[in-house]
Amino acid sequence: QVFFIACACAAMTFAQPQPPRPQGPPPGPALNEPGMMERLGLNPDQRKRVEAIRQDHRLKQIDLRANVEKARITLEPLIGAEQPEENKILQQMDRLSQAENELRKDEMRQQLEIRKVLTPDQWRRVQDERRNPGPQAQPGPGGRQGKGQGKGRGPQGPPPQN
């Protein structure tokens, strides 16, 4: 009975649509944030190298995110089966964890590769901005950095002034 309850809880967890995981570096300014490359003073060669790194990893991460989704989708019917098989479920959970971990590792590889392009001073500025984000790095709608339409702005423009 305990196993059935655990399976039901797991099924509810995995059956729920998973919110998108934040991509890229931890919260704080990111190199793709508007104006960040200018604030860091990246030269044209650095910009080109950073863009190449991001492009390479974007392509890899499409496949890695697909692997996560496939593992999640494969797990759902195992959990929902009338006679759930514990070993199969746990093996698939391991596959899901491994796929998620591979995605996180690639995100970290991207950050480390970009860091190698920066000078020590530029890296210090990135760290400073992450610790003390300015108004350009404040979360927009949905808590995402550098996204959205700005404070109080929606499709109709700024709020009316009273």
Side-chain angles (χ1 to χ4, degrees), residues 48-64:
K48 187 176 179 180
R49 290 168 55 199
V50 166
E51 285 303 320
I53 290 167
R54 286 155 89 206
Q55 179 68 13
D56 179 51
H57 285 275
R58 263 188 239 130
L59 294 171
K60 287 178 189 173
Q61 289 173 9
I62 289 170
D63 292 333
L64 293 171

Side-chain angles (χ1 to χ4, degrees), residues 1-39:
Q1 188 174 13
V2 172
F3 178 71
F4 177 74
I5 292 170
C7 284
C9 290
M12 291 185 333
T13 300
F14 286 105
Q16 299 292 325
Q18 299 295 315
R21 289 184 47 246
Q23 300 300 312
L31 287 174
N32 60 350
E33 178 187 305
M36 184 61 156
M37 287 198 216
E38 290 80 14
R39 288 194 307 278

